[in-house]
Amino acid sequence: MAVNPSSQLQTKSVSIKELMKSAYFEIPPNQREYRWEKEHRQKLWSDLVTCIKEDFLSTYSDSLGHFLGAVVVIGEEQSLPQKRWEVIDGQQRLTTLTILAACLLPYAETLTHRRTRQTLVHVLTDCMFSPGADDAPRMVLNRENEFYVKTLLDCDSLEERLSLWSQEFNSKSEIQANIKDAFEYFDQKINDYITDRSNGDADKRDEAIRDLVDGVTERFYVLVVRTGSLMLAYRLFETLNERGLELSQADLIRNVLLQHAKLSGDKTFHNVVLNWRELNDNYEEQPSKKLSIPQIIQFSYSYRHKLVKGEKIFDDISQDLSNGLHSPAELSRQFSIDSQNWVSFLLGDLVNWDRQISIHQYAIVDPLWKAHAAPVIFAAMDVFNSQKNELCVAFKLIEHYLFRKGLVGKESVGSLQEVFAGAAEVLKVTKDNKELAEYFAEKSPDRIFVEEFKQASVRNMKQAFYCVWKIENFLQKGFRLELESQSAVQHLEHVMPRKPGGEWKGIEQEDSFNSYVNRIGNFLILPSEINQHVKNKSLSYKLKNEKDKDYWSVKEYKLVQEFVEESSGWLKRGEWGFDAIEKRQGFMAEKYALSVWPLSC
């Protein structure tokens, strides 16, 4: 049977004014939330200013306007508040245009000429809501719609928006932040533009306002593509993105889950929507964005099913769904659970977690962090969620492997990914930390670890502090100072300074200086006042000086005491140089490495 495109697709090129005054939109739950950031807003504003400069200098008939791209919608020919068009592509642009209209409205209300003022206020109002349909908003967002509507429709000025935000803005919501940032950005840009154009002249001010409103509503235009077919709309959407309009991997995964969910009925579709929303909420709850949504999905899949590379996650999920290996409801539920466990791990259980488990957690997520450890973290949180002691052991093993192979061994990303996915599989199957310890020990033999420790260097201060803190903690059977890098009472000391003074005879000019200054054998922890005093001085001054602000006077740190007692055996001709650092680090490797970072329960 021949395909009749005109019966499946209807297209029309319209200005923003024409589009918004006659249509109502909603963003389906499966579509991307409001994600426009500064670079997108800057591009839209730049397009507007360029449009004004070029088109308003030409005659009206010669004006080309500015094409904002295609807007793909699903719905019947007439769009009504109760039968809105579902936006499949274009939701970011349409939402931003309503925000821009809201920012322009207070300025339009100040126009001197009454008829012009009434006309432009009416046009801008139509872009935001319909006075003839009980003030129904033109746009309904899929997330944070209440915050969006209140900011858009309940506030008539910047001052009112600021008052609203002081009470209702949730800083943890990325969507609310994007909405708020958009309002603030356009408020500022509009004010600056009008001020620059008018230079205190009332007529020029009115002209600048008219140009902005006409630019947005009359000169911006889109190609509206409407269809009643969901599948055709998605095919169009993906085709447009294949032509260069960016579609994120998270969007693709979400869409393929929902496409398969629709085949299983409304209940499955609804469950997948809810699970995805929880995944997104959990992503935003991260105290810092350690993992992106695609990474959470990748590592969840690697834990529960099979190792998958980041660039292949969409292809693998699509294929496995098509082959019936997993259901969309099952996968989305797992993503939701693992994302919640991940956030719980990052935030920590302040009620049930003791200091030791918190120390392991901090070491994993800060000085030793490698994203590919996430699958085994997901597994530990899932398997031992209600077993604090077992969870502590699992975290310790993960921390120690990260140190041994991530920091000291400098293992490749690919190798770490395979090992941690395998470790997750071990926990999933055995639910036994002894099996996990044996697995890690096989991947990091003690002999190799000790030899690698002898040559290890660090990349930053937190890693350096972690190394010596960990040994000090072992020696003191529970160090009283916190593993939080430097503080007012504890400083990381480079025995060979990073910026040596004259006593060091230009050692910083040596080719090996930068690598040796960051070797583990070059570090101590000192009280801050002593560290500040000895700074870049010679080793002899650091060891003992007349001010009694020296290594010799430090009694609370056992590594410093050990350094004072053993250093003469490490020195070459009484000097602390590259050979001395190697000797001390070899000493530390043999004495501490296996005791401080064991792979055992």
Side-chain angles (χ1 to χ4, degrees):
M1 180 182 295
V3 175
N4 182 2
S6 63
S7 67
Q8 299 185 57
L9 290 174
Q10 292 186 355
T11 63
K12 186 179 182 181
S13 177
V14 294
S15 68
I16 298 304
K17 172 185 172 181
E18 293 175 282
L19 175 66
M20 302 303 280
K21 73 178 182 181
S22 59
Y24 302 87
F25 306 91
E26 64 180 349
I27 314 303
N30 59 302
Q31 282 302 304
R32 184 188 297 192
E33 303 85 357
Y34 186 65
R35 294 285 179 185
W36 263 24
E37 297 179 349
K38 187 175 181 179
E39 61 182 289
H40 305 103
R41 298 190 291 268
Q42 286 176 331
K43 178 64 168 63
L44 184 68
W45 180 258
S46 175
D47 290 341
L48 175 59
V49 173
T50 300
C51 179
I52 293 171
K53 285 181 179 178
E54 294 180 356
D55 289 353
F56 283 84
L57 292 175
S58 64
T59 63
Y60 187 88
S61 60
D62 293 335
S63 177
L64 296 176
H66 181 77
F67 179 52
L68 291 178
V71 173
V72 181
V73 298
I74 303 173
E76 299 178 3
E77 184 172 356
Q78 188 174 11
S79 172
L80 301 170
Q82 61 273 24
K83 283 189 176 182
R84 292 173 176 268
W85 283 346
E86 292 189 359
V87 184
I88 304 304
D89 191 21
Q91 65 267 36
Q92 308 292 327
R93 284 164 285 159
L94 292 180
T95 304
T96 304
L97 287 168
T98 64
I99 292 173
L100 182 49
C103 293
L104 282 169
L105 184 58
Y107 292 93
E109 290 174 337
T110 66
L111 288 169
T112 307
H113 191 272
R114 181 177 60 85
R115 184 168 297 177
T116 302
R117 181 176 65 250
Q118 290 175 339
T119 299
L120 297 189
V121 166
H122 178 73
V123 168
L124 290 171
T125 299
D126 263 347
C127 289
M128 300 156 54
F129 65 94
S130 174
D134 296 326
D135 293 343
R138 296 295 179 186
M139 292 287 298
V140 173
L141 304 191
N142 52 0
R143 293 191 65 238
E144 301 291 3
N145 185 64
E146 182 179 357
F147 177 81
Y148 161 75
V149 170
K150 282 186 176 181
T151 306
L152 189 78
L153 303 185
D154 294 355
C155 301
D156 294 328
S157 65
L158 174 60
E159 290 71 24
E160 291 185 15
R161 285 195 284 272
L162 291 173
S163 176
L164 172 70
W165 293 337
S166 68
Q167 301 174 47
E168 301 197 18
F169 174 63
N170 177 9
S171 60
K172 292 184 177 179
S173 169
E174 188 174 346
I175 312 307
Q176 285 195 19
N178 290 337
I179 292 170
K180 177 174 175 287
D181 288 349
F183 272 100
E184 290 177 333
Y185 176 83
F186 289 120
D187 271 325
Q188 186 64 53
K189 285 296 183 181
I190 292 167
N191 183 69
D192 291 347
Y193 179 87
I194 293 172
T195 301
D196 291 344
R197 279 274 305 267
S198 62
N199 197 25
D201 185 292
D203 290 338
K204 289 182 178 179
R205 183 179 187 278
D206 283 2
E207 182 182 45
I209 295 170
R210 290 197 305 270
D211 287 352
L212 285 172
V213 176
D214 285 344
V216 171
T217 61
E218 300 278 6
R219 301 297 186 264
F220 276 174
Y221 65 98
V222 295
L223 179 67
V224 180
V225 183
R226 183 184 62 81
T227 177
S229 166
L230 175 67
M231 293 309 295
L232 182 56
Y234 274 111
R235 194 175 302 167
L236 250 176
F237 181 40
E238 291 177 2
T239 300
L240 287 169
N241 279 282
E242 287 170 3
R243 299 299 184 265
L245 302 177
E246 183 182 358
L247 181 64
S248 77
Q249 194 173 36
D251 294 325
L252 289 170
I253 295 169
R254 177 194 58 206
N255 287 347
V256 75
L257 284 169
L258 287 162
Q259 287 172 6
H260 284 273
K262 274 192 173 292
L263 301 177
S264 301
D266 290 343
K267 183 177 180 181
T268 299
F269 184 87
H270 178 69
N271 287 338
V272 172
V273 168
L274 290 180
N275 288 334
W276 189 272
R277 185 170 296 171
E278 289 172 1
L279 163 63
N280 205 85
D281 288 343
N282 292 331
Y283 160 76
E284 291 188 356
E285 284 295 317
Q286 296 179 98
S288 60
K289 295 297 190 292
K290 285 288 185 182
L291 297 179
S292 65
I293 290 178
Q295 283 180 314
I296 293 173
I297 293 170
Q298 175 194 354
F299 299 138
S300 173
Y301 206 76
S302 293
Y303 156 45
R304 295 185 180 273
H305 302 290
K306 64 181 181 182
L307 174 64
V308 60
K309 304 290 186 180
E311 66 273 12
K312 293 284 292 178
I313 184 64
F314 171 70
D315 293 338
D316 281 20
I317 287 179
S318 299
Q319 185 174 351
D320 289 350
L321 285 169
S322 298
N323 293 338
L325 295 180
H326 314 297
S327 73
E330 170 198 11
L331 282 182
S332 63
R333 179 176 173 274
Q334 290 168 353
F335 300 156
S336 173
I337 291 171
D338 290 334
S339 64
Q340 179 58 64
N341 284 337
W342 170 244
V343 170
S344 297
F345 167 74
L346 289 180
L347 296 175
D349 187 332
L350 300 180
V351 176
N352 295 313
W353 284 17
D354 58 20
R355 181 172 182 265
Q356 192 57 53
I357 194 171
S358 297
I359 286 173
H360 294 316
Q361 181 257 14
Y362 169 79
I364 291 169
V365 300
D366 210 322
L368 302 179
W369 174 243
K370 298 285 184 183
H372 290 290
V376 71
I377 296 171
F378 289 3
M381 291 295 293
D382 190 42
V383 172
F384 301 129
N385 213 343
S386 59
Q387 304 173 60
K388 182 182 72 173
N389 292 336
E390 292 297 324
L391 193 61
C392 185
V393 172
F395 287 174
K396 180 190 76 171
L397 292 171
I398 295 167
E399 174 199 339
H400 289 182
Y401 190 85
L402 275 168
F403 177 77
R404 290 167 71 132
K405 300 306 290 184
L407 191 153
V408 170
K410 293 187 169 47
E411 200 77 11
S412 69
V413 169
S415 178
L416 288 173
Q417 184 176 9
E418 290 182 8
V419 170
F420 285 123
E425 175 74 10
V426 168
L427 276 188
K428 182 179 70 174
V429 173
T430 69
K431 297 178 172 56
D432 188 344
N433 274 320
K434 290 181 180 178
E435 295 286 343
L436 179 64
E438 290 179 7
Y439 174 83
F440 277 146
E442 178 185 345
K443 301 296 182 181
S444 175
D446 288 346
R447 176 183 54 81
I448 294 177
F449 169 50
V450 171
E451 291 304 310
E452 289 178 334
F453 189 102
K454 292 177 181 179
Q455 304 298 318
S457 60
V458 301
R459 292 187 298 274
N460 55 56
M461 297 280 281
K462 285 187 177 181
Q463 290 180 346
F465 190 86
Y466 166 81
C467 294
V468 285
W469 183 94
K470 190 77 172 175
I471 297 173
E472 195 75 53
N473 185 63
F474 168 76
L475 290 173
Q476 299 199 27
K477 308 301 180 187
F479 199 27
R480 64 183 178 84
L481 295 178
E482 296 296 327
L483 178 53
E484 293 284 348
S485 189
Q486 302 201 140
S487 72
V489 293
Q490 59 188 21
H491 273 203
L492 179 71
E493 159 74 346
H494 290 71
V495 182
M496 176 193 291
R498 287 177 293 174
K499 295 180 179 180
E503 302 95 329
W504 289 89
K505 302 176 182 178
I507 196 171
E508 68 273 16
Q509 303 299 323
E510 299 286 336
D511 292 341
S512 300
F513 174 77
N514 287 330
S515 60
Y516 274 94
V517 79
N518 290 317
R519 291 275 290 267
I520 295 174
N522 194 44
F523 301 132
L524 290 170
I525 296 176
L526 293 179
S528 59
E529 64 173 351
I530 293 178
N531 179 257
Q532 290 295 321
H533 179 75
V534 299
K535 282 187 180 179
N536 305 330
K537 299 289 197 307
S538 66
L539 177 64
S540 60
Y541 188 87
K542 292 186 175 194
L543 284 170
K544 184 70 175 174
N545 60 65
E546 69 281 2
K547 302 287 187 181
D548 289 330
K549 292 183 177 180
D550 47 38
Y551 294 175
W552 187 267
S553 64
V554 177
K555 305 302 181 185
E556 61 267 45
Y557 299 150
K558 293 186 179 297
L559 271 181
V560 180
Q561 296 175 30
E562 177 186 84
F563 188 94
V564 170
E565 294 168 3
E566 301 286 346
S567 60
S568 60
W570 302 328
L571 301 179
K572 185 175 182 179
R573 294 189 295 275
E575 296 182 349
W576 184 259
F578 304 151
D579 289 341
I581 292 173
E582 283 207 7
K583 287 180 181 179
R584 183 190 178 221
Q585 192 157 329
F587 173 88
M588 296 170 74
E590 296 289 349
K591 187 174 181 179
Y592 299 122
L594 297 181
S595 299
V596 177
W597 290 277
L599 289 175
S600 62
C601 296

